[in-house]
Amino acid sequence: MRLTALRTFIAAAAMGLSLLTAPIAAQADDNPSAVIDQIRSSGVLKVPVMTGEEPGYIKDPKTGEWSGFYYEFLGEIATQLGVKLEPVETTWGNLAADFQSNKIDIAIGVNPNPKRGLVVDYLWEPLFTDAWAVLTPPGKPVKTWAELNDPSKTVVVQKGSTMQIVAEALLPKATITPVEDRGLALMELQSGRADGVVFAVFDALQITNQKIGDVSLPEPILRNPATLAVARKPGNAGYINFLTNWIQQERSLGLAQGKLARAWEARGIDLTILPAGFSF
C-alpha cells in the first residue's frame, strides 16, 4: 500500500508541476516581445556580413572592421535596441540556414523567396527598391532578357540567391551556372566563360568602375524589393512591428534614400542608366 501511495503521490506531483509550467511556456510563446527581450539580454544583434559585396558591406583588410550602407543600417537598428553589432560572415545563399541555426537575428537587403519563406518572416515594406540587371562582356549589352534565352548563352548567378531564381525563370534555354560569390561570378565573365552575370542594378553599376563589362537593364524591367527578414519563431511579432516602423520612418523621411545616394556617389556610381522616374 505504501508503494502504491508513493506512486500516486509522484503522479499527482508531476501533474501539478505540468500545470504550473504549462502557463509559463504558453506565456513565453504569447509574449510578442520575446525576441526583442532575448536580443537585449544578449547585448548583441547578430548580423550577416559578406565579402565582395561592396558598397553594402565593406571589410577593412587591415583591421577586419566592417562598414558599408547595409552595415550602417544595421548599426542604427542595434542602437535603437540598445545593443552592439556582432558581424557573422556568410553568403546570401546561407541566410536561411543561418536563421535556423540561430547564427543571425536579422538579414537586410534580401528579396522575398518562397523557399526561405518557410522558415523566415519577410517584412512587406521594402527598405528600398532597385531592379535586376545583367553585367555583360564589354561592348555586348543586351536590350531584352530574350537575347540571353538561348542554348548558346551561359549566364552566371550566385548560388541559392534570388538572382538564380530570376535567371532560371526568364532564361530556361540558357545554361545557368551557379557560383558561391560575386568574385567567382566576375572571374567567369572575365575569363570569357559567361555571356552575362545577373546582379541587382546598383551592385552591377558599382562593378563597372572595375572596367569588367557593361551594365544592361533588360526589358521587361523587373523591380527588386530589398527588404528585411527575421527568423520565424514565437515572440517575434513585436520585433517585426519595431522593424516595420523603423523602415517606414527611414523611407518617409528620406533617410534611407539619402544614405544610399551618398554611398553610391562616394563610390562613383553613375545612376544615369536608370529610366526616368525610377524611384528607389
Side-chain angles (χ1 to χ4, degrees):
M1 291 295 293
R2 290 181 180 178
L3 182 58
T4 302
L6 179 61
R7 287 174 177 172
T8 302
F9 173 78
I10 292 174
M15 180 176 294
L17 182 60
S18 67
L19 291 173
L20 288 172
T21 57
I24 295 175
Q27 185 178 5
D29 288 347
D30 293 340
N31 177 12
S33 297
V35 170
I36 289 180
D37 292 343
Q38 180 183 6
I39 292 171
R40 284 176 166 167
S41 176
S42 71
V44 296
L45 181 69
K46 295 175 289 186
V47 302
V49 292
M50 306 175 197
T51 57
E53 292 292 333
E54 299 85 356
Y57 297 106
I58 304 172
K59 186 177 185 179
D60 188 319
K62 295 181 180 179
T63 65
E65 294 183 355
W66 289 90
S67 60
F69 64 81
Y70 280 142
Y71 201 69
E72 290 180 22
F73 279 129
L74 292 167
E76 292 177 12
I77 293 171
T79 298
Q80 291 280 347
L81 292 172
V83 298
K84 297 180 179 180
L85 287 182
E86 182 177 298
V88 178
E89 216 164 311
T90 186
T91 64
W92 294 113
N94 284 339
L95 290 180
D98 292 337
F99 274 124
Q100 287 181 296
S101 59
N102 201 35
K103 289 183 179 180
I104 58 175
D105 298 313
I106 189 172
I108 192 168
V110 293
N111 316 118
N113 178 310
K115 185 176 180 180
R116 285 200 299 258
L118 296 173
V119 295
V120 172
D121 281 329
Y122 291 96
L123 277 68
W124 289 106
E125 179 78 13
L127 183 59
F128 66 93
T129 303
D130 60 8
W132 292 112
V134 178
L135 188 68
T136 58
K140 297 182 179 180
V142 294
K143 292 184 178 180
T144 67
W145 290 100
E147 294 177 51
L148 292 170
N149 190 27
D150 187 280
S152 66
K153 303 294 184 181
T154 298
V155 177
V156 176
V157 296
Q158 288 176 246
K159 185 183 298 183
S161 67
T162 308
M163 308 164 206
Q164 183 172 353
I165 296 175
V166 170
E168 291 174 348
L170 292 179
L171 311 172
K173 296 179 182 178
T175 299
I176 308 299
T177 303
V179 296
E180 288 294 335
D181 55 42
R182 182 188 295 183
L184 291 174
L186 295 178
M187 287 178 60
E188 292 292 303
L189 188 70
Q190 290 177 291
S191 66
R193 294 191 293 269
D195 298 290
V197 183
V198 177
F199 283 113
V201 67
F202 296 131
D203 290 336
L205 286 172
Q206 76 97 21
I207 293 171
T208 58
N209 293 339
Q210 304 175 35
K211 309 299 182 183
I212 293 175
D214 295 337
V215 177
S216 297
L217 195 60
E219 294 185 354
I221 294 176
L222 300 179
R223 298 297 292 261
N224 172 30
T227 187
L228 273 66
V230 300
R232 178 170 298 152
K233 61 173 66 173
N236 72 356
Y239 189 32
I240 290 174
N241 180 66
F242 157 71
L243 293 172
T244 300
N245 279 276
W246 176 81
I247 288 177
Q248 289 177 339
Q249 177 176 272
E250 289 288 312
R251 289 186 62 83
S252 65
L253 299 182
L255 301 175
Q257 297 91 327
K259 187 185 303 298
L260 294 169
R262 289 191 297 272
W264 293 322
E265 182 179 355
R267 298 185 72 86
I269 297 175
D270 182 6
L271 301 181
T272 57
I273 188 176
L274 299 177
F278 188 96
S279 174
F280 54 82

